[in-house]
Amino acid sequence: MEILLAGKPMFVGTLTEPDRTTWECHAQGLAFQKKLALDGSGAATRDLSTAIAEAAARGWPVGNPDGIAGTVAGDSGDPQTLGDLFDQYAEQTGKRWGVDARQILFLTADPTAPMWITTPGAVAFGATNEGMAKAIAARFLEGGVLDTVFRGDPTGDEEPVDLTKRGNITTAQATSIADQILATRKAGSGWVNGVTLTRDQINTVGGSRAPLADIRGGQMLRVYGLPQLAANSGRMYLDVVIGKTRYTADEDTIYLEPVNKAPRTAREVWAAG
């Protein structure tokens, strides 16, 4: 299915749960389509460009004009989805990946400059340390032997990370991956809620009203009006990376959820594992 707004692509995916009693529909984006990461002979591959090209040849309607390529650390020959392969590559490079509404793959680092700015007092994010461990204990296989590397602040909370699904990797690779995971999770605070904003509450960096439908996950939001949290950073504002958006056309509002949001609902807790 495809969702358009004034002729502009907003979403492309597969309809999964049409509820014929309420006519509420759920759909799944192309990034979640289960395509296996295989080479031309049908064997499992850890080479991204090969897996992308072969999946496209088998009908995955996604383009790769930026030429995303790379080798995922490890030697596991077990079949896995292309999404799992991308997750592992994003994990080891400290980036985020997805498929946009134009059916184009992206793999990018978090932005360092805001695209959107809220009006003072429009946003109230609750902060939490949950899920924001200061140290990583990464379990991995090297030569078939299970080992662990510890990275981060040794006096802080430690979070276990399982790298064994990759197969065998070196200590140097495990250390680098753990550092990237830690850097991504330490990029900001943890949060307990999202917010719903109207057009009057969010602007472009130039000061004009933001086109709400153009706001996307992965973009940076500058928030004014949280003095206690902002004071911790030595600034009068906070910059957060948007993790999830939900635009409601008939109300002309948008729900924004930052990355590093702690799970609070039963569905979120289940999804977080």
Side-chain angles (χ1 to χ4, degrees):
M1 66 172 292
E2 183 176 17
I3 299 175
L4 302 175
L5 180 65
K8 180 186 297 185
M10 302 299 297
F11 173 83
V12 177
T14 304
L15 187 65
T16 58
E17 298 178 22
D19 188 329
R20 299 188 183 278
T21 59
T22 63
W23 292 107
E24 182 179 87
C25 296
H26 295 263
Q28 193 172 62
L30 295 176
F32 295 95
Q33 192 171 10
K34 291 185 178 179
K35 286 291 186 181
L36 294 178
L38 305 175
D39 63 18
S41 68
T45 182
R46 302 187 71 77
D47 182 272
L48 274 182
S49 59
T50 298
I52 293 168
E54 292 300 323
R58 299 195 307 273
W60 195 40
V62 172
N64 184 25
D66 293 333
I68 295 172
T71 301
V72 179
D75 65 357
S76 174
D78 294 335
Q80 62 183 323
T81 66
L82 191 54
D84 287 339
L85 196 69
F86 259 107
D87 286 345
Q88 291 178 35
Y89 191 72
E91 181 180 65
Q92 76 186 45
T93 57
K95 298 181 178 180
R96 304 183 195 275
W97 78 278
V99 179
D100 66 21
R102 300 170 300 155
Q103 300 174 240
I104 301 298
L105 275 167
F106 64 86
L107 178 71
T108 59
D110 284 345
T112 57
M115 286 190 65
W116 316 106
I117 299 176
T118 66
T119 57
V123 171
F125 286 134
T128 178
N129 289 328
E130 183 178 339
M132 304 300 292
K134 293 184 177 181
I136 294 290
R139 299 283 280 169
F140 68 100
L141 290 170
E142 183 172 20
V145 178
L146 191 63
D147 202 349
T148 304
V149 292
F150 294 90
R151 305 297 290 174
D153 182 357
T155 66
D157 292 340
E158 296 174 346
E159 180 178 343
V161 173
D162 183 11
L163 303 180
T164 59
K165 61 184 177 182
R166 293 172 175 267
N168 289 290
I169 58 177
T170 66
T171 299
Q173 287 174 323
T175 300
S176 176
I177 294 169
D179 285 343
Q180 293 290 359
I181 295 172
L182 194 61
T184 301
R185 298 186 184 181
K186 287 175 65 179
S189 177
W191 309 103
V192 299
N193 64 287
V195 293
T196 299
L197 301 175
T198 66
R199 192 176 297 274
D200 295 329
Q201 295 175 306
I202 184 168
N203 298 319
T204 67
V205 291
S208 59
R209 289 185 177 181
L212 300 185
D214 289 345
I215 301 174
R216 296 282 189 275
Q219 297 170 346
M220 181 168 280
L221 176 71
R222 178 160 291 179
V223 178
Y224 288 94
L226 297 175
Q228 291 180 329
L229 294 177
N232 294 332
S233 65
R235 300 186 296 263
M236 297 302 295
Y237 58 83
L238 285 174
D239 288 337
V240 298
V241 178
I242 300 170
K244 181 188 296 184
T245 68
R246 184 171 62 245
Y247 175 62
T248 305
D250 58 344
E251 298 176 1
D252 199 27
T253 61
I254 189 163
Y255 171 80
L256 303 179
E257 192 173 284
V259 299
N260 297 331
K261 178 184 175 296
R264 284 296 179 264
T265 68
R267 180 186 290 271
E268 290 172 344
V269 171
W270 176 83

